[in-house]
Amino acid sequence: MGQSINSIVAKAQQGEAAALEQLVLHIQDRVHRLALRMVGDASLAQDATQEILIRVVTKLSTFKGDSKFETWVYRVATNYLLTAKKVMARDPGLTFEFFAQDLLDGLADDSAAAPEDHVMLNELRVRCTMAMLLCLDANHRAAYVLGEILEMDHREAATALDIPSATYRQRLSRARSKVLAFTAKSCGLANSDAPCSCPRRLPAALASGRIGDSPSVMLQDAPSYRDVRQVAAKTEAALVAQKLQQATGALAATDNLAAKVLQIVNPPDPN
């Protein structure tokens, strides 16, 4: 992006169509990644991303530059993700206890486990990683995604969530502790003694339809299962949960949403 983001924002606020499109293209993948980590469902994340982008465009005049533009975008996005009825209605209400038990259901023995270089192991690994966060309530999930996965500065993350910094730090600390404890106990990548491992879990996940029978385009740039296993083996225990949560690839939107959003906001003149 040759121009500064502030310059593009200013031009978009003045009604320059090319700048507005450039702005939406600049943020759509960031918004999609946040939405997907918050809702864990590709279709819902795509819909949420479009709704958030529409809000960003229609509220753009209210951005006064008091924070980074991206921080303001995350504020619009998290407000939607934490309050929209269609999002809240689809939250599965998982708990770490239920998820841990579910992972044990139908585990294959070592002789029936999937080959460790199987491409679908990575599909399972990433989807399990994302599902794990659904065990956090939405407020703690948002704090964890912003701080631990997107690695936002604590003050910026607190601003994005419109909460005091102290409240944000408390939520992040609690969420981090829960994810770390679950990962250390239940994830074979983090703990070789854990009962569940991707090779043992994959046959049941395929048979039950928990994952599709072919890799998702959205996850194609995620680090490989083999690479992630090597990273996990070399990472100290206190950081391994974060490393696994970050190893998902860009999670970019599969469609160019800019054209759709701008057509909705500024429909063509029928005449």
Side-chain angles (χ1 to χ4, degrees), residues 73-186:
V73 169
Y74 283 133
R75 184 169 185 170
V76 174
T78 52
N79 180 266
Y80 176 84
L81 292 165
L82 293 172
T83 61
K85 290 182 179 179
K86 65 171 67 176
V87 175
M88 296 169 67
R90 295 275 295 276
D91 194 303
L94 284 177
T95 65
F96 285 109
E97 293 76 14
F98 177 87
F99 192 41
Q101 189 60 42
D102 185 65
L103 289 177
L104 300 180
D105 186 26
L107 283 181
D109 59 30
D110 290 335
S111 64
E116 291 203 355
D117 61 348
H118 197 297
V119 67
M120 294 306 294
L121 286 176
N122 221 33
E123 186 84 4
L124 175 62
R125 174 190 69 80
V126 176
R127 291 188 181 279
C128 185
T129 296
M130 293 194 294
M132 191 186 304
L133 294 191
L134 297 178
C135 298
L136 295 168
D137 68 67
N139 286 325
H140 285 83
R141 192 185 314 154
Y144 188 90
V145 172
L146 292 179
E148 201 79 340
I149 298 175
L150 302 182
E151 296 186 293
M152 288 184 68
D153 174 85
H154 283 199
R155 286 172 295 183
E156 290 182 10
T159 297
L161 292 172
D162 196 21
I163 57 177
S165 292
T167 302
Y168 170 75
R169 290 193 297 270
Q170 290 170 356
R171 289 182 185 177
L172 177 60
S173 178
R174 285 194 291 263
R176 184 188 288 133
S177 296
K178 290 180 179 182
V179 173
L180 177 59
F182 178 86
T183 303
K185 179 180 178 181
S186 299

Side-chain angles (χ1 to χ4, degrees), residues 114 118 120-121 123-124 201-214:
H118 197 297
M120 294 306 294
L121 286 176
E123 186 84 4
L124 175 62
R201 177 65 181 161
L202 182 59
L206 288 169
S208 65
R210 293 292 178 87
I211 62 174
D213 56 7
S214 60

Side-chain angles (χ1 to χ4, degrees), residues 46-67:
Q46 187 85 347
D47 290 345
T49 299
Q50 181 169 301
E51 292 293 330
I52 291 165
L53 293 175
I54 290 172
R55 288 192 176 196
V56 168
V57 171
T58 56
K59 293 175 179 289
L60 189 58
S61 63
T62 69
F63 174 67
K64 303 302 182 184
D66 298 331
S67 66

